[in-house]
Structure formats: C-alpha cells, structure tokens
Amino acid sequence: MSNALEPKTRGNGKDILLQAFHWNLVKTKGTGTLSQSSDSWYQILINRVDDIYELGATIIYLPPPWIDDSEWHSGDKHGGGEGYFWRDFDLNSRYGSKAELIKLVQVFHSKNIKVIVDIVLNHRDRYRMKQDIWEYPGPAWRVGGSDTGGAFFDGSCDLKLDRPEVYTRFKQGLNELLDDCQVDGWRWDFVWGYHPKDVFNLIKDTEKAEYFSVGEYWQAASIKDDPMFQRYGSNERSRILGWAKESGCCVFDMLLKKEINSCNANYLKYGLNLSHDASEREMVATLVENHDTGASPFSTSNGWGQKVWECPSHFKSRAYAFILSTPGTPCIYWPDYFDWGLSEIKDLTQARKQAGITSSSNWIDLTERYGGFAAIIKNQSDEEALAISIDSNFLNPGDQWKVAAEKKDEWTVWLKK
C-alpha cells in the first residue's frame, strides 16, 4: 500500500540471526533452567561469545529486557518473569542487570556481532507498576475500547500507542537501550497488536539509527481489529509482506514455517523467501523454531516449554539446511545448536558465508526435474555459488562443485570450486 519508505532496518543482506534464549530460562519461583546457576543469562552469553562467533551468527536477539516479576499458573505448571508481561521500563530483568546488558553489547560488538532485543509494545502488567504509573482503567489502556491494533487475549492489558504519554515513554525506553546500552535494533513482538506505523515512527523518532529489526506477524485467522486484515484482506502473504513494507523492517516468514512443519521438501519453495521478487526475499527472516513454536530444554516448572507449533524432529536438520542455504535472513534457535547438538548448523552457516549467499540472492529451481527440493543459489554477483538437494534425486551438480555439508539420506549442500 505504501511506496519505498525510510528508514529501513534490514541489515546488510549477509546476516545470520541467533535467537539467544528460550522459554524455560527464567521463572519467577526460581525453577527455570538457570535456577542452579549463579550467573545471569546475560553473563552466560558473555561467557559463550567465542562459541557464538564460531557458529557464524552476525546478530543475536535477546529476550525482552524490561523487568517482569509476574506469575502464571496452568494446572501443575507455573512460571512468570519471561519478559512478556513486564511491568516497568526497568532494565534490571531476570535475564540480568542493565550493567550486564551494557557489558554484553560491548563484548559482542568486539566480535563484530550486533545485538537486538525483543520489544513488547502491545501489553504491560497493569497491576505491578511502580514507575510510569498509568491509571487503570484509564486513557493509556485499551480496556473497554480499542487501540491501534488487535487485542492480546481479552485486551485488558493492552496499551494505547496513540496516547502521547505511552508513545513518548516507549520512545524514551528505546532510546535508553540504543544510547546507554548501544543495542542495534529490535525484534517486535505480536505485531498485529498495533499498527505498522507505530513501529515505523518509533524507528524514525529514536535518536540512533537502528541496524536490523524484525517483526513477528503470526495471525492466520480473520481478526476484525488486526490492522493488516483491514489493509490487505484475507491473503496471509499480502498481510505479512505488507507489514514489512509499511514498517521498513524484516518480518518472520510464517508461510515458510507452515511448509517446514508439513515435512514435505516439495513445499519448501512456497515460502516468502523464494519469492520471484528480490525485494520481497530481502524483507523476510526465516526460522525453523522459536521460543513459542518449539520446545525448550526441560524445566520442572514448565516441562518442555511452549511447543505450540513445533517442527517434527525428523525434519529439523532438513529445515536448517534449507533456511541456511536460501535467500532471506536465517534465524537459528538457541537450543537446536547449543542444547540439542545439531552440529551441522555450523557447517551450513560457514557454507552460506563462503558462497556469499544474501537475503535477496537469485536462485534456479530444479525441483520439477528432481523432486523434493533442489536448487542452485547465486551469490551477490549473480554467479552460481551453492547447490542444495533435500529429499531429491539431484545427486551431483557437476565436476566444478564440491560437497560442503551433508546429512546422509536427507540433504547435501555443494559449493562451486
């Protein structure tokens, strides 16, 4: 609906994201996977910076940074403190202190790794406010009315970003992260809960230029107050790309996630990251799993975590071979590599970098001839650079190619010699 906009926060096209957290890390009652550690999660990440650098990640994305001491209970499970029901713009969260966050960014910047953080604009804990106390119910809140987007559950905790006191305070909070902590951008949570212009304006109005931002537009059902349904109708592809175009950010490729979960390599080419339009390819970030969709390392308080839309385990290696070999900006989920040992992820990141694959790379479709997924991916100079076969009969691209990474009977990636 809109023409080219500035600012745009989509990195340099060569980035590899690492989601550097999962759902079970922290719990209000101290029963998360960190309960036996004296180090905060920020400090643990600082200690692992060399491992992350060797993995090949160029951007890590952190959990919500603001203080959250909420509690939730569901049957015999409990939790709280994950960051998604924060109460104040206080950077001393359960993941670590503001001082530790500043140190983390400095350490990762010394390795030329950018740091973005998860921002929850839509909702806030309405009962535990100790700073920026906004009367509830009152003009800062959706309750009994509407806001600039869709409701989070029943909407009782939703903020009205069109209220000056709310918008201005968010802008100040983002500026604190940019200026004091030197973070490089944002992962926007639950983006159908507010208007894309809210994101665009916050990026434009903050004082420092952000490097990379990505939104989570994940809404297949028709919701009347979702602004993307109002603007783009029932076509999910149009809504996802429309959000990216209007915000100037990347957006997660939830169409590809659906095809990944089908476990059919024939369908992988129907994700947004293989659009025929290069400008659309560079708008999307691809993922196999995140803290909501997939499992997290076991916690006594919450089992295996969210697991609301999980990639079946037998297809996960194939899925990583796909996202790390094809256009878009790929995102690795922390447990898949660091907890569950999918070591091939590192081989694939190195192959991607060596080949010079970018978020907008051109590609040659070989699937009709060979079945499964088979393709040749071009580098930024539009030269054939990487070949990939997943569950296909594409077995040898020729003498000019060498195997770069492989999992027998599942997939092979070749590089041009």
Side-chain angles (χ1 to χ4, degrees):
M1 280 196 173
S2 54
N3 296 321
L5 295 172
E6 295 294 341
K8 291 182 180 176
T9 54
R10 298 183 182 133
N12 64 12
K14 300 177 182 178
D15 290 303
I16 298 173
L17 282 163
L18 169 66
Q19 179 179 345
F21 67 99
H22 59 77
W23 185 255
N24 281 348
L25 280 174
V26 295
K27 300 293 170 194
T28 295
K29 293 186 177 182
T31 50
T33 55
L34 287 184
S35 59
Q36 304 303 316
S37 174
S38 59
D39 287 337
S40 71
W41 182 242
Y42 290 162
Q43 184 59 51
I44 289 171
L45 290 177
I46 291 169
N47 296 343
R48 301 296 298 272
V49 65
D50 289 335
D51 297 329
I52 294 167
Y53 175 80
E54 290 172 7
L55 170 61
T58 66
I59 303 172
I60 63 167
Y61 103 69
L62 300 179
W66 294 316
I67 190 169
D68 176 355
D69 49 18
S70 62
E71 292 188 30
W72 58 263
H73 300 267
S74 179
D76 60 351
K77 296 182 179 180
H78 68 265
E82 298 93 352
Y84 293 92
F85 203 45
W86 59 282
R87 63 166 166 82
D88 289 301
F89 294 89
D90 180 336
L91 291 174
N92 297 292
S93 77
R94 291 186 61 79
Y95 297 102
S97 67
K98 179 179 178 180
E100 287 175 313
L101 177 57
I102 291 171
K103 180 183 176 184
L104 182 155
V105 176
Q106 290 173 342
V107 168
F108 277 82
H109 281 181
S110 74
K111 293 284 190 179
N112 294 316
I113 298 172
K114 307 286 190 184
V115 180
I116 66 174
V117 296
D118 201 337
I119 296 298
V120 184
L121 288 182
N122 178 258
H123 47 277
R124 177 186 181 190
D125 187 335
R126 62 201 185 278
Y127 294 130
R128 292 180 176 83
M129 296 177 287
K130 296 180 181 178
Q131 305 160 14
D132 301 289
I133 299 173
W134 297 331
E135 179 186 3
Y136 183 87
W141 303 89
R142 173 195 176 104
V143 60
S146 62
D147 58 25
T148 65
F152 180 73
F153 292 106
D154 63 359
S156 63
C157 304
D158 287 20
L159 295 165
K160 291 178 64 66
L161 290 169
D162 51 355
R163 289 290 302 184
E165 68 271 30
V166 176
Y167 181 86
T168 299
R169 189 63 186 90
F170 268 111
K171 184 175 70 173
Q172 292 169 349
L174 297 187
N175 273 327
E176 181 181 9
L177 285 159
L178 288 166
D179 297 336
D180 291 3
C181 305
Q182 294 292 303
V183 304
D184 302 290
W186 323 110
R187 182 269 191 184
W188 303 100
D189 181 65
F190 194 75
V191 300
W192 67 271
Y194 36 94
H195 199 284
K197 72 179 181 182
D198 295 322
V199 169
F200 179 81
N201 288 335
L202 281 167
I203 292 173
K204 178 172 61 71
D205 291 346
T206 45
E207 295 166 9
K208 177 185 170 186
E210 290 91 331
Y211 174 77
F212 185 90
S213 298
V214 58
E216 177 206 30
Y217 182 82
W218 181 11
Q219 177 55 269
S222 177
I223 304 294
K224 65 180 181 179
D225 56 359
D226 175 353
M228 306 315 295
F229 268 97
Q230 296 167 359
R231 300 167 78 75
Y232 295 94
S234 60
N235 186 289
E236 188 177 7
R237 176 190 183 91
S238 297
R239 297 197 309 274
I240 293 173
L241 291 173
W243 188 88
K245 291 172 183 175
E246 292 197 41
S247 67
C249 304
C250 282
V251 65
F252 281 114
D253 191 345
M254 288 305 186
L255 291 189
L256 175 60
K257 172 61 173 163
K258 177 172 64 177
E259 306 302 355
I260 285 172
N261 284 10
S262 77
C263 300
N264 188 331
N266 292 275
Y267 298 159
L268 293 174
K269 68 178 182 179
Y270 299 123
L272 297 172
N273 76 313
L274 293 184
S275 164
H276 295 299
D277 185 338
S279 69
E280 293 180 349
R281 296 196 291 271
E282 70 179 2
M283 289 179 190
V284 298
T286 55
L287 78 162
V288 176
E289 221 68 279
N290 70 17
H291 60 287
D292 282 326
T293 67
S296 297
F298 187 83
S299 162
T300 54
S301 66
N302 194 38
W304 294 101
Q306 301 284 77
K307 294 180 62 174
V308 298
W309 203 29
E310 191 174 16
C311 171
S313 59
H314 75 274
F315 201 75
K316 188 170 283 189
S317 183
R318 294 171 173 90
Y320 273 109
F322 179 81
I323 70 166
L324 288 165
S325 300
T326 52
T329 300
C331 183
I332 300 161
Y333 179 47
W334 178 277
D336 286 335
Y337 182 77
F338 288 98
D339 292 295
W340 296 321
L342 289 178
S343 59
E344 61 266 36
I345 292 174
K346 181 177 178 180
D347 297 330
L348 289 160
T349 63
Q350 301 308 316
R352 181 185 186 88
K353 290 186 172 186
Q354 188 174 337
I357 306 304
T358 70
S359 59
S360 60
S361 280
N362 288 316
W363 66 292
I364 301 169
D365 186 0
L366 304 176
T367 57
E368 294 300 323
R369 180 176 175 185
Y370 293 101
F373 180 78
I376 292 175
I377 318 297
K378 296 184 176 183
N379 62 20
Q380 59 189 359
S381 301
D382 208 37
E383 301 163 332
E384 295 182 5
L386 182 150
I388 179 170
S389 172
I390 303 174
D391 290 342
S392 87
N393 294 318
F394 179 49
L395 304 177
N396 185 358
D399 293 339
Q400 293 182 314
W401 298 81
K402 63 179 180 179
V403 174
E406 184 174 49
K407 189 166 185 181
K408 289 291 186 182
D409 301 319
E410 292 190 16
W411 56 266
T412 306
V413 169
W414 298 265
L415 295 180
K416 202 74 172 283
K417 290 181 181 177

